[in-house]
Amino acid sequence: MTTADTLPVHQLLGLFDSPYVRRVAITMTHYGIPFEHVSLSVFRHMDQMRPLNPLFKVPMLTLPSGEKLYESAYQLDYLDEWAEQAGLQALTPRHGAQRREVLQKVALATIAVEKAVGLAYERRRPSALVWNEWVERLREQMKVALDQLEAMLKGEYLVGSRMSQADITTVVTLGFIRFVLPEEWPIARYPALENLAARLEATPEFLAVPIDKE
Ligand SMILES: N[C@@H](CCC(=O)N[C@@H](CS)C(=O)NCC(=O)O)C(=O)O
């Protein structure tokens, strides 16, 4: 019998301040897939990262076979397949209308977080080089995506009556904005999303993967 203790180990590269890395780590924890976390920054640990990942793009997931996967969406797809083979319910349904619904809500959360990451990168520029119109555009796009998710969240979860990848990616997005870019979080605008985040951030799989704030 294969148990969590005897499973071959996956390796996940990247810090949990990256929402992309965090959603993969939470998904692995949810499925009970043990992994080694290689906690290196794409900016601060370039010399250590170069031999592992000269693309300096995270997350990178190394499978027990040594195969390396880039792009969190493809990593989640691999993990869902793994879960299905292990007899677990995949966080993104494998086909049908519910799959599309989950994926489209994941897409909205991913758009929101991509704009938030864009805002975070703008802060790395010397102030004379900041393009204010671009910053405003990013902010507005992030807001529209979050507004749409807020309007869609009618019940306990974004799709159906159980947690899906739409909830994980949305809550990770909120975590990134609220804790990494707190001044970008519009207080009281998103009560339903805040409620979802409070509930999920208190679950074992989220607590096991805290945002790194260095
Ligand atoms: N679409 C990618 C986005 C990953 C991403 O942008 N990661 C950031 C960290 S949050 C990164 O690697 N930044 C370094 C760079 O792009 O040079 C995914 O979902 O994996």
Side-chain angles (χ1 to χ4, degrees):
M1 194 180 84
T2 305
T3 66
D5 293 341
T6 61
L7 287 172
V9 168
H10 291 70
Q11 197 185 64
L12 181 63
L13 176 67
L15 299 181
F16 295 152
D17 68 354
S18 161
Y20 307 102
V21 179
R22 192 167 181 239
R23 73 176 182 152
V24 172
I26 290 168
T27 299
M28 293 182 88
T29 308
H30 174 82
Y31 287 147
I33 304 176
F35 63 94
E36 180 193 343
H37 180 213
V38 183
S39 186
L40 294 176
S41 160
V42 285
F43 297 112
R44 284 177 283 114
H45 305 126
M46 290 185 73
D47 288 343
Q48 286 154 274
M49 190 174 290
R50 187 172 285 106
L52 302 173
N53 175 12
L55 281 175
F56 299 114
K57 195 77 189 170
V58 296
M60 184 183 82
L61 181 65
T62 307
L63 310 192
S65 63
E67 190 182 345
K68 293 180 191 312
L69 303 185
Y70 285 105
E71 283 292 328
S72 57
Y74 302 141
Q75 295 163 4
L76 295 178
D77 188 59
Y78 159 81
L79 295 172
D80 286 346
E81 198 177 4
W82 188 102
E84 199 184 33
Q85 282 168 8
L88 303 173
Q89 197 154 13
L91 285 160
T92 302
R94 301 299 285 159
H95 34 246
Q98 273 220 337
R99 174 175 175 80
R100 288 195 301 283
E101 192 182 349
V102 169
L103 286 176
Q104 283 309 303
K105 290 176 181 173
V106 168
L108 284 175
T110 313
I111 291 166
V113 87
E114 172 193 309
K115 302 306 165 188
V117 169
L119 286 167
Y121 285 154
E122 282 297 317
R123 294 173 166 199
R124 303 181 75 86
R125 293 183 196 279
S127 56
L129 297 179
V130 171
W131 181 8
N132 289 322
E133 290 85 345
W134 185 250
V135 169
E136 266 318 306
R137 181 190 159 100
L138 292 172
R139 230 176 238 137
E140 181 61 21
Q141 288 172 301
M142 182 179 84
K143 181 169 84 66
V144 172
L146 292 173
D147 285 351
Q148 291 190 15
L149 284 167
E150 174 76 13
M152 286 169 177
L153 183 51
K154 303 287 187 210
E156 247 190 291
Y157 297 104
L158 277 158
V159 182
S161 56
R162 53 186 288 275
M163 185 175 79
S164 72
Q165 189 55 241
D167 302 298
I168 294 181
T169 300
T170 298
V171 169
V172 162
T173 295
L174 258 65
F176 179 79
I177 302 168
R178 291 166 77 193
F179 299 113
V180 180
L181 300 168
E183 66 292 347
E184 296 291 347
W185 183 250
I187 291 162
R189 188 180 176 95
Y190 301 116
L193 293 179
E194 286 197 13
N195 179 285
L196 178 71
R199 282 186 291 116
L200 295 199
E201 289 284 4
T203 60
E205 53 263 68
F206 277 74
L207 289 171
V209 184
I211 302 174
D212 309 297
K213 284 172 274 176
E214 284 176 51

